[in-house]
Amino acid sequence: MAQCKQGAHEFIQSAFCPVVAVLASQDAENICKKNNLSFVEMIQPFCRLTSEAHIRDPSNTPHGLHNFKIIVKNIHQQPHQPTLAKKLLNESVSSCLPVSLASDNGPANIVSIGDYDLQLSVSTPWFEAYRECFFRVSYISDHEFLKNYTACMFIVSSSHPDPMAQFKVLSHHQQQQQHQQPGKHPRWFCPNVLKYYVLLHDVIDGEDQKADSVYQSMKTTYGSFICHLLSINSRQAPPMSHDIMQADPWSQFINKTTLPNAVTSEAQMNGLPEKQRLSSVENAVEALEEPILDHPLANHTAVNLENTDSGSMDSLNSGKDSRSSSVSTPHGLCLTTSDQDKLRILMHEFIVRGLLPWAERQIKTLNELVSSKKTRGLFSGAKRWFGGSKPAENVTGATVVYTQEAPEMQLRRLGDLSFMFQMYELAYQTFHTAKRDFNNDHAWLHCAGALEMAGVSIFMQGIQNTRQFEYMESAIGTYLNTCKNGQFATRASLLYTEILKSKQMFTDAAVALIKMTSEDADLRSALLLEQAAHCFLNVKQPRKYAFNMILTGHRFNKASQKQHALRSYQCALNVYKGKNWILAEDHINFTVGRQSMSLRQMENATFALRQILSHDSKQSHDQQVIFLKEYLFVLKQFLAHSPPSDNTLCQLPLPLVDGNQIKVMASYRQKQHVTSNIIAATGVSFDCNDEDNTKWYRLEELCLRVAGVSSSVFEPTIQCYTNQTDNSGNPNAVISEPMTVELSLENPLKVNLVLNDVSLLWQFSPEIDSEVNQEQQPPPVFTNEQAKSIKSTIADELVTAITIKELTLEAKEQKKVQLTLIPQKTGELHIIGVGYQLGMLTSTPQNNLTNSEMPNNRQNLMFVRGKQLLEVQGPRLNASKADKASKVYGPDRRLDLLVVPPMPQLQVSFEHFPKVLSCGQIQRVNLVLSNSGPVDLCNIMVSSPTSQYIMFTEQIDGNDLDTISNINQCCGGSSVDPNKIFDPNNFYPSILPTADDSLTIKCTCNVSHLTQQQKQNPNHSCINKVPIRCQSIKPHQTVLVPMYVIGANQSGTQILDMLFYYEPMDETLKIRHRIVRHSAALTILSSLCVKAWPTRGTADESNSATISLEIENISQVQVQYPNQCLFNILQVSGVSNQWCLHHLSTKPNTDVRVIKNESMQIVLKACKCEKEADKEKEYFSNVVFDQHAIDSAVSPCADFYSKSKDTEIFKLEDPPPDNLYQVEPPAPTVEPFEGLDKAVKLGMTLIVLWKGLITSTDGHSDVIVGQHHVNIDGLDTLVASNPLTKVVKEQPAITFIKQDEFIGDPMPDVTLLAQVLKVNMEYQQIVYHDFTGPKRLCQVPLKVSLQNTSNMDVMVIIEANTRKTNSTANELTATKSKDLFTFSGQVGRRFNVPANNTIDLDLKASFWRPGVYHLNCMKIVAGSENTADFVPQKHVPSHSITILSTNG
C-alpha cells in the first residue's frame, strides 16, 4: 500500500474513538458565533490529549492512554442521507489531488525499481481522505456500540437569565430523547451516560460575578468533577479591513463536516427499517455515473468528432472537478492564545476528570454483569461447549434480534468500551467470548463484528498471533457472503490491509483489496485497486502495478473521478513506456488523451495522442484511423482555443523525418534538356554515391593547381551535403539560385496521409553594412513560420520558398521529397523545419475522378497545419581520450547556409553524345556551354581521370544550336547510305593525294610542344583546357566547342568522368571558382585487334626493321547490338623521332578489308631517317591504302596518339605532388649500360586508321571511323593494341632464412647483350667442285661482318670451329654435319667492336664431300669489359651453302 500519514495503530485508534454529544443553548451558540464557529467546531482542534492519561481495568491494573482522542458531535446532527453521503465521499476524493496534477510546478517523485524509473505519488492522500470520510459517514448499526454516544456535554451561557434552569431543560431534553426513542437517533452507549456541564462566559460582554455564582451552584448541584467554567472572547473582534495574522486551527475540521444543502430530516431516516437504512448507506458509499469506456481493454470505437463544435466541448468536461472555491472566512477572531489554552484545559479536564472515571466505572460494572451471566445454566453451557467455533458458510437464515440488555449485547458493550479506551487485552477476551455466543445463535452479523474486533484487538496488543489474520478473513467473508453487507466488509478490509501493511505482507494485502472490488462500487473499487497496485510495487512487481493502475483508471472514470482516472493511466504509462508493450502503450495513451480532452487539458491530450503516432504501431487499420482522427480533432481544438503566443506552428508527429538522411544541394542544378539529341551534364544529384567524392575532390584540386591557386589547405567544393560529407563549414548559397533539400518522409501507419502546402521553414538574418551598423547591433531575424495564414511580404522578398501543393504518402510508404528555397538577399539562412497541413485518406480515390467528383471524405477532409523541426547530428569525435570516453559530437552546419552575391552559372550539355562505341572508334560531339548567371565566367578547364579518351578543338562560330546540324553531317555515327562512298577526309584532315609507292610523308607534329610538356609533367594530361576564342562567356551567351570521344581498347563498360572548372571574371567575389560534374557510361564493343612483331632487317639494309602487322576483326554479335561489322584499313602511320614507315608486302591504293572473324597480315618496313634524330621532334610517316592520305599529325589523330603515350596516369587515390607542374625538367640520370638499348630499341608507334560499316538486322547502316595505337619499344617483342594476357610467373619458394645478397658491379641486361651484334656472311652460295681430282678438299672463302648496333663498345669472342648444341632447328642440322666441314683462318679471336661500327673477318670453309651445309654453327659471344660472362648472339638470318660435285 501507499505511504500514509498515520500508522496502523494510530489509524485504528482514530477510527474507534469515544463519541461525545454536545447540547448547547442558543445563547451559548451566539457567543461562539462571534468567532464564526459553533461550539462543536470551536472545541474540535482540542479533542486529542497532548499528554499521557491512565485508566484502570476491572482488576485495578492501570493502563496508559497514548494519543487518546474523542469525537464531538452536535446532538442534533443526523446521519447522512445516501445522496449526501455520496457527495461527501466523492468530494473527499476529488478534493485531494496530487501536486503534479493540481499545479504545473509540482515536484515529481521518482521511484526506481530494477530497470524502471517510475514517476508516481508515493502517498495517496485521496485514499486517506476517503477512508476517514467513510468512517465518518458510515451508518450506526445495532450489532455494535462503537459509534454510540458515551457522554453528553451541556453548554449554557452565563448571560442566560436563569442558567441553572436552562441546564435542567437541556438535561431533560437529553433524557427524553434517550429513553422515549431508544431505537432511534441519537443512540446512546448505555442508559447512564456521562453528563458534563459547561458554563460558557463571555469575558467582554458577560458579568464575572454572575458567572462565578452560577458556577458555584453548578458544582453544588452536579458535582465539581463534571462542571466547568469556560471563559472566552477575551478581546473585541477587529474590523474586517484589518489583516489578522493568526493561526486558524479550525479550518481543517470545518470542511469535513460542512456541505451545502446538507439538511436532513430525522423523521426521514428514523422512519426506515434497519435493513433498508443499512442498504441505503451502503449504496451511498459509491458515486455512479454513466461510464465512457465499458472496459479498460475494450476496443475503442470512433466518435463522430467532425460535427462537434467548440461549444459542445463543454459537455465533454462534465467530469471535471466541480469544487467551489469558497471564500476563506477567518475564525477565532475574539479568541486569544489564553482562550485557546482554556479550551484545551476544558477538553483535558472533561476527559481526565469526567470521561475516564466514568469509563472505569462502566467497565467494572459490565465486567461484573458479564461474570454473573456466565453461570446461567446447563443448557447454555452445553450449547457453548458443543456449538461450533466458526460460523457456518452459506447459511441464510432469519436474522437474530437481541435486545439492548441481552447478555450477548452486554458482552459486546464491554468489548467496545474496553477497545475504545485502549484496554485491548480485555477487549480481545470479551470479543472472543462474544463471537462464540453469536456463532452458536447463528447471529452472523454480530459474529462477524466480534471476529473483526477480536482480530483488531490482537493486533493492537502487539503480540505475534496468527489468529488475527484468520479472524479478519473470516469476518470479511461473513460480511460479504452471508450478511451481504458491503459497508462493514469494506471497513474490515481497510482494517485488515492496514494490519498486513504493518506486517510487510503486501501480497496478502493486495489479494484482500482486490477481493473487495465489485461492479456496483466503482469509487471504492478504484481506490482499493490503486492500493493493491502499490502493494505490488512494494514487492518489486511493476507490471502488476501497471495493470492494476489501468483497472484503477477505468473504475475512476466510471465513478466520474476523471482527474484521478487520468492520473492512474499516467502512472501505468510510466511502466509500459519504452518497454515494447506497443499495444498496451497505445491503449493507455489513447485513454489519457480522451480523459485530458474531457478535462479541457487540450495540451496534455495532444501530447498523449501524439505518442500513439510516433512509433511503428501494431494496431489495425481501423484502429489507426480512429487514433489519427482523434489526434487531428484534438489538435485542431487546442490550436483554436489556445493559439501559440509567438505565432509559431505546432509540431506534428507524422510523417517521420530521418534527420541523418537529410541532404542539402547548396549549388544550382543542371537544367535538363528535352531534346533527344542533347543531354545535359549529369551534375550532382541526391542519388550520387558519397564514396565517389574523393575522386572528384582530387580532380578539383588538380584544376586549382593548374590554375595557379595557392592555398595551404585545400577545401573541396561540396555540392551535395550528406551525413558522409564534411559539414563543419557553412554551405554557400548564391542569390537567385535555387538550393534544394531532400527529406526522407516515412508513413509508419496503415493509413494514407495527405500533406498539403509543403514547404521549408527558415530563419534569415540579412547582412548589414558595417558603415551603416556602427553600433554593432545584431541583425534582425526574419522567418516564414506563421501559425496563421497571413503572407509576409518581407519574408517573400528575402527568401522564396517553393511549395508542393499536395503530397500523398501511402500506407507504410517511404518517399523522398525535394523542397527548394531561392534566397534573394545576402546574409545567413537557417533551415529550421518543414511546414505542411496534415490530413488523412481512409480510401484511395479513383484516378479518373475530378476534384468535384471526389468522395466527400476527400473534399471535407480535416487538415491541421503544423511543422517538424529538422535536426542533424554531427560525427562523433574520437580525437582525444575524453572524446572516446564520452559521446561528444562535432558540428553539422549543413542546414546553416551563407548567402553570397550572384555568381556565373555554367550550363554544360552535349549533342550526339554516344552511348555505344566500338573499340578505337572516334565520335565527334558538340559541347554546348551556356552562362545562365549574371556574371562573366572564364578559364574553363576539364579534368578527367580518363582524359586519354576525350579532346577538344577550337570553338565553332555562331551561338545558335542550328549550326550543330551542319557539323554533324561529317561526324562519325550519322546515318548514311551504304552505297554512298564515305569520305574519311571529312573527318580527318587530308594531305595531297599521291600515287608514288615510295612516297613517305614526314612532318613535324603540331602538338610536339604538348608532347614535350607531357614528358616533363605526365600528369598534365588529366587537364584539358577548353579552347574559347573570346576567353570568357558573357551572361546568357552560348558557346559551341567540338569534342571528340574515342572508345577504349578493351570491350566492356567505359566510364567517362569529367569535371568542368571555371572562374568568375569578378575577382572580388567570395567564391573564386565553381565546378560542374558529368559522368557518362559508354558501352564499348569489340572491333579490331592489331598485333605487331618487329624484327631486324636484312644484312644489306642494316638500318632497317621489318614489322609484321596482323589485323583481326574480333567484333562479336551481341543480343543488344546484333550488328555486322566490316572494316577497311585506310592508313598506317608511324610516329618516331628516327624511323620512317614504308610499304613492303603491299602497295598504295590497296583495298585492305577485314570482315568478321578474319585476320589479315601486312608486312611493313621501318627505316632510319637520314638525318640525325631530333629528340625534340616526332616524325609522322604514312603508309596509305586509300586514295587520299590522311594528315595524322593534326587533331584529332595526333591528340589521341599523344594521350595514348601517357603511361603514368594520375592516381586519384593519392594527393598530387607539390612539384606537379614544375617547368624545369628533372635532372637526367645516367645508366651505366644505357647505350645497349639502341641495339634492340625501335621507339615507334603505329597508328592504324580505319573505317567501318556497321549493318544492323533491320538494314540500317552506319559508317564509323577510328584508330588503334600499337607502341613498339623493341625488336622481337609481340605487341598489340588490346591488352595481352599476362603469363603469371611462378613465384619462388618462400624462405625463412635470410640469404646473403651479393652486391657487386652493375650488370647489363642479358636480353640486350644477346641482340647487340648483327651477324652477316658474304660467300658464294652454290659451289661446284671435283672431289675426285687432285684437290679433293673444297675450300670456299667467306666474309663475316660483325656490326655493333649499340651506342657502346662491345667485346666479342669468336670460335669458328666450336659447335653450339642449342635446341633450335637450324642448330640441330649443324650438329649432324659438324664433322663434314671446318673453318680455317682466324677461327678463334677476341677483339673489341666500337659503337655503331662494323668489323669484317676473312675465313675459309673446307668441305670434303658434297651437300647442303648450315654455316650458323660458329660460336659468337659478346659482352662488355666490366662483365665476366659473355652472352651468345642470335643469328637472325639463316646462312647455308650448297656444295655440288662436278662428277655427278
Side-chain angles (χ1 to χ4, degrees):
M1 296 176 67
Q3 297 179 5
C4 298
K5 295 181 180 179
Q6 295 178 329
H9 289 79
E10 185 178 1
F11 162 67
I12 295 175
Q13 290 178 3
S14 301
F16 301 104
C17 299
V19 184
V20 177
V22 174
L23 183 57
S25 61
Q26 186 61 40
D27 52 342
E29 292 291 347
N30 293 335
I31 295 176
C32 297
K33 284 181 180 179
K34 293 181 180 182
N35 300 288
N36 296 322
L37 296 169
S38 65
F39 182 81
V40 174
E41 294 172 347
M42 187 172 62
I43 64 174
Q44 280 285 355
F46 312 101
C47 291
R48 185 184 298 273
L49 291 180
T50 58
S51 60
E52 184 179 358
H54 295 83
I55 189 174
R56 296 181 179 272
D57 60 8
S59 61
N60 205 24
T61 303
H63 294 270
L65 297 179
H66 304 280
N67 201 20
F68 185 75
K69 174 189 173 183
I70 63 173
I71 298 175
V72 180
K73 293 183 180 181
N74 194 325
I75 195 172
H76 298 295
Q77 180 180 348
Q78 300 295 325
H80 301 89
Q81 273 187 323
T83 304
L84 181 58
K86 180 189 302 183
K87 291 181 179 180
L88 288 173
L89 290 172
N90 279 278
E91 181 71 16
S92 64
V93 175
S94 60
S95 60
C96 297
L97 289 176
V99 180
S100 58
L101 288 178
S103 66
D104 296 335
N105 299 324
N109 297 321
I110 304 299
V111 178
S112 298
I113 299 177
D115 297 336
Y116 297 90
D117 293 329
L118 308 180
Q119 181 178 355
L120 48 88
S121 298
V122 180
S123 61
T124 53
W126 49 89
F127 172 72
E128 298 179 51
Y130 172 86
R131 190 174 59 181
E132 182 180 353
C133 182
F134 173 81
F135 278 94
R136 187 174 65 251
V137 303
S138 57
Y139 196 78
I140 302 174
S141 177
D142 293 335
H143 76 285
E144 62 182 10
F145 303 92
L146 294 171
K147 284 198 169 186
N148 292 11
Y149 292 126
T150 58
C152 183
M153 297 179 64
F154 301 100
I155 316 299
V156 178
S157 173
S158 62
S159 60
H160 193 275
D162 190 359
M164 296 300 295
Q166 186 63 27
F167 277 122
K168 292 181 181 180
V169 173
L170 296 178
S171 179
H172 177 72
H173 179 68
Q174 184 272 331
Q175 291 181 0
Q176 186 178 5
Q177 285 187 341
Q178 180 179 0
H179 298 290
Q180 292 183 0
Q181 299 176 350
K184 297 181 180 180
H185 188 79
R187 299 193 179 188
W188 303 92
F189 189 83
C190 59
N192 52 343
V193 296
L194 173 64
K195 295 179 181 181
Y196 198 82
Y197 303 91
V198 178
L199 180 63
L200 187 62
H201 177 62
D202 193 329
V203 177
I204 300 299
D205 299 333
E207 299 178 4
D208 295 340
Q209 294 181 357
K210 181 181 178 182
D212 293 337
S213 175
V214 175
Y215 180 61
Q216 295 297 329
S217 301
M218 291 171 55
K219 290 195 292 183
T220 304
T221 305
Y222 304 111
S224 60
F225 293 102
I226 57 176
C227 296
H228 188 82
L229 174 61
L230 178 61
S231 299
I232 60 173
N233 297 342
S234 300
R235 65 181 178 184
Q236 293 287 348
M240 296 299 296
S241 60
H242 291 184
D243 294 335
I244 302 174
M245 302 299 296
Q246 177 177 319
D248 188 0
W250 298 276
S251 58
Q252 58 179 330
F253 298 95
I254 293 176
N255 294 331
K256 294 182 179 180
T257 58
T258 304
L259 198 70
N261 301 327
V263 180
T264 307
S265 174
E266 179 183 357
Q268 292 177 353
M269 291 302 299
N270 294 337
L272 295 176
E274 173 70 17
K275 185 175 182 180
Q276 186 175 353
R277 276 183 289 165
L278 291 176
S279 178
S280 299
V281 177
E282 178 185 347
N283 294 334
V285 173
E286 302 301 332
L288 302 177
E289 284 192 6
E290 190 69 23
I292 293 179
L293 302 176
D294 56 345
H295 193 274
L297 300 180
N299 291 329
H300 307 289
T301 57
V303 180
N304 189 9
L305 299 177
E306 289 82 353
N307 299 327
T308 306
D309 54 7
S310 60
S312 62
M313 288 296 297
D314 297 336
S315 62
L316 297 176
N317 197 25
S318 59
K320 189 177 180 180
D321 185 17
S322 60
R323 300 186 304 270
S324 60
S325 57
S326 59
V327 180
S328 59
T329 303
H331 306 100
L333 299 178
C334 300
L335 299 177
T336 62
T337 306
S338 177
D339 294 338
Q340 295 183 19
D341 293 338
K342 292 176 182 179
L343 290 173
R344 187 175 293 105
I345 293 173
L346 166 66
M347 299 309 299
H348 184 271
E349 290 188 355
F350 167 75
I351 295 174
V352 175
R353 301 181 61 182
L355 188 59
L356 293 183
W358 173 86
E360 288 183 1
R361 294 192 299 270
Q362 291 296 323
I363 290 174
K364 291 181 180 180
T365 303
L366 291 174
N367 184 58
E368 294 175 357
L369 182 61
V370 169
S371 300
S372 63
K373 298 295 184 180
K374 290 182 179 179
T375 58
R376 48 184 178 168
L378 180 61
F379 178 75
S380 299
K383 183 175 67 173
R384 285 198 307 270
W385 295 334
F386 298 102
S389 60
K390 293 183 180 181
E393 297 180 359
N394 300 328
V395 178
T396 56
T399 303
V400 178
V401 179
Y402 295 100
T403 62
Q404 293 295 322
E405 302 301 327
E408 292 82 2
M409 298 306 295
Q410 297 291 349
L411 196 61
R412 173 62 195 240
R413 185 179 284 111
L414 175 60
D416 290 343
L417 190 60
S418 303
F419 187 87
M420 288 188 292
F421 286 90
Q422 302 182 11
M423 289 184 286
Y424 300 115
E425 183 178 0
L426 176 61
Y428 167 69
Q429 296 175 358
T430 305
F431 289 130
H432 185 269
T433 304
K435 63 100 177 175
R436 291 187 298 178
D437 294 339
F438 292 138
N439 181 50
N440 294 333
D441 295 339
H442 291 181
W444 308 122
L445 182 61
H446 298 74
C447 181
L451 287 171
E452 175 188 5
M453 298 309 297
V456 175
S457 299
I458 296 176
F459 170 73
M460 296 300 290
Q461 294 181 56
I463 61 176
Q464 298 295 332
N465 192 341
T466 58
R467 288 187 177 182
Q468 55 183 326
F469 308 121
E470 299 176 2
Y471 289 162
M472 296 301 296
E473 291 177 358
S474 180
I476 296 172
T478 305
Y479 279 140
L480 281 179
N481 302 325
T482 305
C483 303
K484 308 297 181 183
N485 194 315
Q487 173 185 346
F488 290 104
T490 302
R491 187 186 72 177
S493 298
L494 294 176
L495 299 172
Y496 183 40
T497 52
E498 281 295 328
I499 295 173
L500 295 174
K501 172 186 172 182
S502 65
K503 301 291 186 181
Q504 302 293 318
M505 302 171 63
F506 296 106
T507 304
D508 296 334
V511 173
L513 290 168
I514 295 174
K515 188 184 298 184
M516 282 305 302
T517 58
S518 61
E519 292 296 329
D520 58 346
D522 292 319
L523 183 59
R524 181 190 73 194
S525 300
L527 293 168
L528 297 183
L529 284 172
E530 182 178 12
Q531 295 304 309
H534 281 275
C535 290
F536 288 120
L537 195 62
N538 290 328
V539 293
K540 312 300 182 182
Q541 295 181 355
R543 282 191 284 182
K544 284 189 176 182
Y545 160 80
F547 180 76
N548 282 275
M549 289 303 294
I550 293 176
L551 299 178
T552 300
H554 172 66
R555 301 306 289 271
F556 270 132
N557 184 41
K558 292 180 66 177
S560 299
Q561 295 287 343
K562 300 186 182 300
Q563 288 278 17
H564 287 284
L566 176 61
R567 175 191 53 78
S568 301
Y569 280 110
Q570 289 175 344
C571 292
L573 183 61
N574 292 332
V575 178
Y576 290 108
K577 186 176 181 180
K579 302 299 181 181
N580 294 328
W581 291 73
I582 304 300
L583 297 179
E585 189 174 348
D586 289 348
H587 162 77
I588 299 172
N589 276 314
F590 183 75
T591 308
V592 168
R594 281 198 166 183
Q595 293 292 337
S596 300
M597 182 181 65
S598 64
L599 294 171
R600 303 292 294 174
Q601 299 177 7
M602 306 305 294
E603 185 176 2
N604 293 337
T606 304
F607 178 79
L609 294 174
R610 176 191 175 94
Q611 304 305 313
I612 309 177
L613 309 175
S614 300
H615 55 79
D616 188 10
S617 178
K618 306 298 182 182
Q619 302 286 349
S620 62
H621 171 270
D622 297 338
Q623 198 69 33
Q624 290 182 2
V625 170
I626 297 173
F627 289 164
L628 183 56
K629 187 182 297 185
E630 188 92 7
Y631 171 74
L632 294 177
F633 170 76
V634 172
L635 180 59
K636 192 169 186 179
Q637 294 293 327
F638 171 65
L639 296 177
H641 290 81
S642 302
S645 59
D646 53 354
N647 199 25
T648 57
L649 298 174
C650 65
Q651 294 194 35
L652 299 176
L654 295 175
L656 303 181
V657 180
D658 190 355
N660 292 329
Q661 298 300 324
I662 295 177
K663 299 181 180 180
V664 179
M665 189 78 68
S667 62
Y668 69 98
R669 302 180 66 182
Q670 286 287 127
K671 298 179 181 179
Q672 301 297 325
H673 297 279
V674 296
T675 308
S676 60
N677 294 332
I678 299 178
I679 62 172
T682 57
V684 179
S685 65
F686 290 106
D687 299 330
C688 292
N689 189 2
D690 293 333
E691 296 178 356
D692 297 336
N693 286 338
T694 304
K695 170 181 61 179
W696 297 106
Y697 296 161
R698 297 303 184 194
L699 292 176
E700 181 183 0
E701 184 178 5
L702 191 61
C703 291
L704 286 174
R705 293 181 179 244
V706 172
V709 179
S710 60
S711 177
S712 58
V713 179
F714 168 66
E715 295 181 359
T717 300
I718 303 176
Q719 295 179 312
C720 183
Y721 289 81
T722 65
N723 57 349
Q724 300 296 328
T725 57
D726 182 11
N727 303 330
S728 58
N730 299 91
N732 291 323
V734 182
I735 290 180
S736 301
E737 290 187 11
M739 55 83 53
T740 309
V741 177
E742 183 183 76
L743 305 178
S744 177
L745 303 182
E746 181 183 0
N747 180 11
L749 303 182
K750 302 174 185 177
V751 183
N752 298 342
L753 298 179
V754 179
L755 308 181
N756 287 348
D757 300 334
V758 185
S759 63
L760 289 175
L761 303 178
W762 49 263
Q763 288 181 352
F764 185 78
S765 299
E767 183 179 359
I768 302 178
D769 191 358
S770 58
E771 297 180 357
V772 178
N773 188 17
Q774 296 181 357
E775 298 180 358
Q776 300 296 328
Q777 295 182 356
V781 178
F782 300 92
T783 181
N784 66 335
E785 181 182 358
Q786 295 178 350
K788 299 179 181 180
S789 58
I790 301 176
K791 294 185 178 180
S792 176
T793 306
I794 300 179
D796 294 338
E797 293 178 355
L798 296 176
V799 180
T800 302
I802 307 301
T803 302
I804 299 178
K805 294 300 181 182
E806 182 175 344
L807 178 65
T808 302
L809 290 176
E810 304 291 337
K812 297 292 183 179
E813 181 184 7
Q814 187 173 4
K815 182 179 292 185
K816 303 287 186 180
V817 178
Q818 298 176 5
L819 302 174
T820 304
L821 294 177
I822 304 177
Q824 306 296 341
K825 301 290 182 181
T826 58
E828 298 180 0
L829 177 62
H830 305 278
I831 301 174
I832 59 176
V834 55
Y836 54 92
Q837 292 185 4
L838 176 62
M840 69 173 182
L841 281 178
T842 56
S843 60
T844 304
Q846 299 179 4
N847 296 330
N848 56 354
L849 295 179
T850 62
N851 292 334
S852 59
E853 296 175 350
M854 285 186 179
N856 294 330
N857 62 344
R858 179 69 179 268
Q859 293 182 352
N860 301 327
L861 192 61
M862 181 189 305
F863 284 95
V864 177
R865 181 156 184 82
K867 68 177 179 181
Q868 283 208 48
L869 299 179
L870 300 181
E871 298 179 356
V872 292
Q873 187 180 62
R876 184 174 178 181
L877 302 180
N878 293 318
S880 61
K881 292 184 178 180
D883 295 341
K884 295 179 180 179
S886 60
K887 291 185 179 181
V888 181
Y889 296 91
D892 193 323
R893 300 185 177 93
R894 75 180 91 165
L895 298 179
D896 303 328
L897 295 92
L898 299 178
V899 183
V900 299
M903 293 286 296
Q905 301 179 24
L906 179 62
Q907 301 288 340
V908 181
S909 58
F910 307 87
E911 183 172 13
H912 294 292
F913 196 90
K915 296 182 179 179
V916 180
L917 287 178
S918 297
C919 291
Q921 177 188 349
I922 299 177
Q923 175 76 41
R924 181 183 295 173
V925 179
N926 289 307
L927 176 64
V928 182
L929 303 177
S930 301
N931 183 6
S932 59
V935 182
D936 297 356
L937 62 89
C938 63
N939 196 16
I940 304 177
M941 290 183 290
V942 179
S943 177
S944 174
T946 56
S947 61
Q948 65 269 28
Y949 302 120
I950 57 175
M951 55 93 43
F952 303 92
T953 60
E954 291 293 333
Q955 172 187 346
I956 300 176
D957 294 334
N959 295 332
D960 194 355
L961 292 179
D962 294 338
T963 59
I964 300 177
S965 59
N966 298 327
I967 302 173
N968 287 324
Q969 291 180 358
C970 62
C971 179
S974 61
S975 178
V976 299
D977 186 359
N979 297 322
K980 182 179 179 180
I981 299 175
F982 177 77
D983 188 2
N985 292 287
N986 289 333
F987 194 88
Y988 293 111
S990 62
I991 305 177
L992 293 176
T994 178
D996 189 0
D997 296 348
S998 62
L999 178 61
T1000 300
I1001 301 174
K1002 301 178 183 179
C1003 62
T1004 303
C1005 178
N1006 62 345
V1007 291
S1008 60
H1009 178 68
L1010 176 63
T1011 305
Q1012 179 63 22
Q1013 188 176 8
Q1014 289 174 349
K1015 291 180 180 179
Q1016 295 176 3
N1017 299 309
N1019 294 318
H1020 191 278
S1021 61
C1022 294
I1023 304 296
N1024 291 274
K1025 181 77 174 181
V1026 178
I1028 300 177
R1029 186 172 295 109
C1030 298
Q1031 302 300 324
S1032 66
I1033 302 179
K1034 307 237 176 246
H1036 309 293
Q1037 181 184 4
T1038 301
V1039 174
L1040 305 180
V1041 178
M1043 171 183 171
Y1044 292 89
V1045 181
I1046 187 172
N1049 292 329
Q1050 190 172 4
S1051 61
T1053 301
Q1054 177 182 354
I1055 304 297
L1056 290 181
D1057 294 326
M1058 291 177 283
L1059 184 139
F1060 291 82
Y1061 170 95
Y1062 64 98
E1063 299 175 354
M1065 291 289 291
D1066 189 358
E1067 297 182 355
T1068 61
L1069 294 178
K1070 181 179 179 180
I1071 302 177
R1072 292 302 308 134
H1073 74 277
R1074 306 189 81 177
I1075 60 174
V1076 177
R1077 299 180 184 178
H1078 177 67
S1079 182
L1082 304 181
T1083 301
I1084 306 300
L1085 305 179
S1086 301
S1087 59
L1088 294 177
C1089 179
V1090 181
K1091 300 179 182 179
W1093 179 271
T1095 57
R1096 195 179 300 278
T1098 58
D1100 55 349
E1101 296 182 356
S1102 60
N1103 294 328
S1104 66
T1106 303
I1107 300 175
S1108 178
L1109 194 65
E1110 180 183 354
I1111 303 175
E1112 182 182 1
N1113 186 348
I1114 60 173
S1115 60
Q1116 299 178 359
V1117 178
Q1118 300 183 10
V1119 177
Q1120 296 180 353
Y1121 309 100
N1123 303 326
Q1124 299 291 334
C1125 299
L1126 174 64
F1127 296 97
N1128 289 340
I1129 307 302
L1130 304 178
Q1131 177 177 307
V1132 178
S1133 298
V1135 184
S1136 176
N1137 59 356
Q1138 59 180 347
W1139 295 90
C1140 295
L1141 199 62
H1142 300 270
H1143 283 280
L1144 186 61
S1145 64
T1146 57
K1147 295 181 179 181
N1149 300 330
T1150 302
D1151 186 10
V1152 180
R1153 180 176 299 180
V1154 184
I1155 64 176
K1156 182 181 177 182
N1157 295 331
E1158 289 189 358
S1159 62
M1160 176 173 289
Q1161 192 83 14
I1162 300 176
V1163 181
L1164 302 177
K1165 182 179 180 181
C1167 299
K1168 281 191 176 182
C1169 299
E1170 297 177 359
K1171 298 181 180 181
E1172 185 179 357
D1174 188 0
K1175 295 183 179 181
E1176 301 296 329
K1177 297 182 180 180
E1178 289 184 335
Y1179 297 94
F1180 287 73
S1181 56
N1182 304 323
V1183 175
V1184 183
F1185 301 103
D1186 198 15
Q1187 296 179 357
H1188 300 275
I1190 299 174
D1191 188 359
S1192 57
V1194 296
S1195 297
C1197 178
D1199 291 321
F1200 285 122
Y1201 151 72
S1202 62
K1203 291 176 180 292
S1204 67
K1205 294 287 289 182
D1206 296 332
T1207 57
E1208 298 181 7
I1209 303 299
F1210 183 76
K1211 296 182 180 180
L1212 297 174
E1213 293 78 6
D1214 300 329
D1218 295 335
N1219 58 348
L1220 180 61
Y1221 302 104
Q1222 179 182 350
V1223 178
E1224 296 295 333
T1229 57
V1230 179
E1231 298 292 339
F1233 302 100
E1234 184 179 3
L1236 293 177
D1237 295 343
K1238 187 180 178 182
V1240 295
K1241 187 174 181 180
L1242 194 60
M1244 173 180 282
T1245 299
L1246 301 181
I1247 303 176
V1248 181
L1249 304 177
W1250 51 266
K1251 71 175 181 179
L1253 181 64
I1254 300 178
T1255 305
S1256 60
T1257 55
D1258 57 356
H1260 182 76
S1261 299
D1262 288 332
V1263 177
I1264 61 175
V1265 295
Q1267 65 187 45
H1268 281 77
H1269 308 96
V1270 181
N1271 297 320
I1272 303 176
D1273 292 331
L1275 300 174
D1276 297 332
T1277 302
L1278 179 63
V1279 291
S1281 60
N1282 293 358
L1284 297 176
T1285 304
K1286 296 183 179 180
V1287 179
V1288 180
K1289 297 182 179 180
E1290 184 178 358
Q1291 299 294 332
I1294 300 176
T1295 59
F1296 297 95
I1297 301 176
K1298 185 177 180 180
Q1299 301 291 336
D1300 294 335
E1301 297 182 359
F1302 174 77
I1303 301 177
D1305 296 334
M1307 300 296 293
D1309 189 2
V1310 177
T1311 305
L1312 296 177
L1313 285 176
Q1315 305 181 46
V1316 73
L1317 292 179
K1318 185 177 181 181
V1319 181
N1320 191 28
M1321 295 182 182
E1322 295 181 4
Y1323 56 91
Q1324 186 180 355
Q1325 295 184 358
I1326 301 175
V1327 178
Y1328 293 91
H1329 184 72
D1330 184 9
F1331 289 97
T1332 60
K1335 293 183 179 181
R1336 300 181 61 182
L1337 183 64
C1338 178
Q1339 291 185 343
V1340 180
L1342 61 106
K1343 183 181 179 180
V1344 180
S1345 300
L1346 301 177
Q1347 181 183 3
N1348 185 0
T1349 60
S1350 66
N1351 292 333
M1352 64 178 298
D1353 297 344
V1354 177
M1355 183 64 65
V1356 180
I1357 299 176
I1358 182 171
E1359 296 178 359
N1361 291 325
T1362 301
R1363 303 294 192 261
K1364 297 185 299 181
T1365 59
N1366 294 338
S1367 58
T1368 61
N1370 293 335
E1371 292 165 355
L1372 288 175
T1373 305
T1375 302
K1376 295 179 182 179
S1377 60
K1378 65 181 180 178
D1379 297 331
L1380 301 181
F1381 80 98
T1382 183
F1383 291 100
S1384 61
Q1386 296 178 351
V1387 294
R1389 186 177 175 182
R1390 179 188 179 103
F1391 54 90
N1392 184 34
V1393 180
N1396 297 318
N1397 285 336
T1398 303
I1399 294 181
D1400 298 333
L1401 298 178
D1402 295 329
L1403 298 177
K1404 290 184 179 180
S1406 300
F1407 305 91
W1408 53 85
R1409 59 184 297 182
V1412 179
Y1413 296 92
H1414 184 53
L1415 300 180
N1416 285 31
C1417 57
M1418 65 180 62
K1419 181 179 179 182
I1420 302 176
V1421 294
S1424 63
E1425 296 180 356
N1426 299 327
T1427 58
D1429 297 331
F1430 287 76
V1431 180
Q1433 298 298 298
K1434 295 182 178 179
H1435 299 275
V1436 177
S1438 177
H1439 299 88
S1440 61
I1441 187 172
T1442 303
I1443 305 297
L1444 300 177
S1445 178
T1446 56
N1447 299 328

